[in-house]
Amino acid sequence: MSTFRAVVIDKNEAGQSVELRSFDEADLMDGDVTVRVTHSTLNYKDGLALTGKAPVVRRFPMIPGVDLVGSVETSSHPDFKPGDAVVLNGWGLGETHLGAYAEKVRVKGDWLIPLPEGLTPHQAMAIGTAGYTAMLCLMALERHGLRPDRGPAIVTGAAGGVGSVAVALLARAGWHVVASTGRPEEADYLRGLGAAEIIERGELTGSVRPLAKERWAAGVDTVGSTTLANVLSMTRYGGAVAACGLAGGMDLPSTVAPFILRGVSLLGVDSVMAPKALRMEAWDRIARELDPGKLAAMTSTVSLDEVTEAGRRIVEGKVRGRVVVEIG
């Protein structure tokens, strides 16, 4: 049986270990498509898995990595044949199913979509789950009937992966984007992506009032906890916030006041198990609507050998924008 390189997380009484080593193809999990992986990416969830800071990994040993792009090697699925370029986001990859930080994966063909036309593999992973989630947030706000003429849109965690893409997408769609960040040194970077205003993270981390001054009509929140509670308290009448992250915590110390006194809506956005039709719509739009130059400006690249260290840095809040992991 052939072997390939993979980052492998294991756990015993002494704790969690992470190493780059040879992995036997015979130990891959069940699936009807085998993919030769060329690129992956680094999301906050990947950082949590690599560092063990949160219980992301549900079985051991595990190959982390929730995103991939690659070429089909073998397939018994009717939609895919050898040589097809494919993308996978989520579906438990890197959590319950052996993931993308490897030169090869075996997965269910129903989890795959074709690589969107007009995107290179590197660009697709520069987008990754983070960018795809940002588009799902924009689509959720649009389905709610919100448009730029209703007022500004806030993006929290704006210098991170989801936040960076959300800023660029909202700005392109015509929104006056307010970018919240705890890294004031990234102000020029965020303005380059299209942010019209930059506010300090501290403005949204203080004590939460049931209702505060109305400041924005829409929001994309990647942080959760007190930040999301404050964003909701400052959302205009009839506005909505798309929530997709929990970097600040899973709690929500809010009241019902924004919902019953201002008609504010909280829109939950899940990217992991989103139906295929929604995935393809989001990927089609992002391929058309995300400026390639802005995508390049927010992207850095690491090798498979460097991904463990990059995972530590993203959890420590030291990574800006998007990180592509070159596999093959």
Side-chain angles (χ1 to χ4, degrees):
M1 283 290 180
S2 63
T3 61
F4 54 88
R5 294 197 314 154
V7 174
V8 180
I9 300 174
D10 215 336
K11 191 173 185 179
N12 56 32
E13 297 79 11
Q16 177 173 299
S17 64
V18 184
E19 64 174 335
L20 178 61
R21 64 174 175 84
S22 292
F23 196 88
D24 198 316
E25 185 174 354
D27 293 328
L28 287 174
M29 298 175 73
D30 291 342
D32 50 9
V33 181
T34 301
V35 179
R36 174 66 67 174
V37 184
T38 62
H39 298 77
S40 184
T41 187
L42 179 70
N43 300 294
Y44 188 76
K45 181 185 285 187
D46 298 312
L48 293 175
L50 288 163
T51 59
K53 295 291 186 182
V56 170
V57 176
R58 305 302 174 87
R59 67 179 296 277
F60 297 92
M62 173 57 66
I63 299 172
V66 305
D67 291 324
L68 68 86
V69 64
S71 177
V72 172
E73 196 170 79
T74 63
S75 173
S76 59
H77 191 282
D79 292 345
F80 300 101
K81 63 183 185 303
D84 286 347
V86 292
V87 174
L88 193 157
N89 307 105
W91 294 115
L93 208 69
E95 301 176 68
T96 58
H97 194 96
L98 295 176
Y101 294 161
E103 294 175 327
K104 192 175 292 192
V105 299
R106 185 178 297 126
V107 297
K108 295 181 180 180
D110 289 342
W111 297 349
L112 299 168
I113 65 169
L115 177 67
E117 186 175 350
L119 290 181
T120 67
H122 190 278
Q123 288 173 324
M125 286 297 95
I127 295 165
T129 284
Y132 149 66
T133 301
M135 177 55 81
L136 290 176
C137 289
L138 174 58
M139 291 165 59
L141 294 172
E142 291 174 347
R143 285 196 303 272
H144 196 71
L146 292 171
R147 298 292 183 270
D149 59 3
R150 291 285 299 275
I154 176 79
V155 177
T156 66
V162 179
S164 293
V165 181
V167 169
L169 289 173
L170 286 163
R172 184 191 181 280
W175 288 89
H176 178 99
V177 180
V178 181
S180 167
T181 181
R183 293 181 272 174
E185 68 274 12
E186 302 292 6
D188 288 343
Y189 163 75
L190 292 167
R191 290 191 183 95
L193 296 179
E197 295 181 51
I198 314 294
I199 65 171
E200 290 280 348
R201 176 174 59 196
E203 293 189 36
L204 302 175
T205 57
S207 299
V208 181
R209 299 172 58 188
L211 290 175
K213 180 181 178 180
E214 295 175 277
R215 298 178 65 176
W216 33 73
V220 173
D221 176 67
T222 73
V223 179
S225 192
T226 302
T227 295
L228 176 55
N230 274 305
V231 167
L232 289 167
S233 77
M234 300 175 189
T235 301
R236 294 182 180 180
Y237 189 93
V241 178
C244 63
L246 45 68
M250 293 184 68
D251 62 318
L252 183 57
S254 184
T255 72
V256 297
F259 310 116
I260 65 174
L261 298 179
R262 288 185 181 161
V264 171
S265 295
L266 179 58
L267 311 175
V269 174
D270 166 64
S271 62
V272 176
M273 306 300 255
K276 191 169 185 176
L278 184 61
R279 289 170 180 268
M280 294 188 70
E281 180 185 358
W283 272 100
D284 177 66
R285 282 193 58 179
I286 204 166
R288 291 184 284 109
E289 297 178 24
L290 183 58
D291 184 305
K294 290 183 178 179
L295 180 62
M298 68 176 80
T299 304
S300 59
T301 303
V302 299
S303 67
L304 193 59
D305 308 71
E306 299 169 314
V307 72
T308 301
E309 172 61 18
R312 181 188 62 77
R313 295 184 69 251
I314 198 171
V315 170
E316 293 175 352
K318 297 178 179 178
V319 170
R320 180 178 79 179
R322 304 291 296 124
V323 178
V324 172
V325 182
E326 291 189 337
I327 305 291

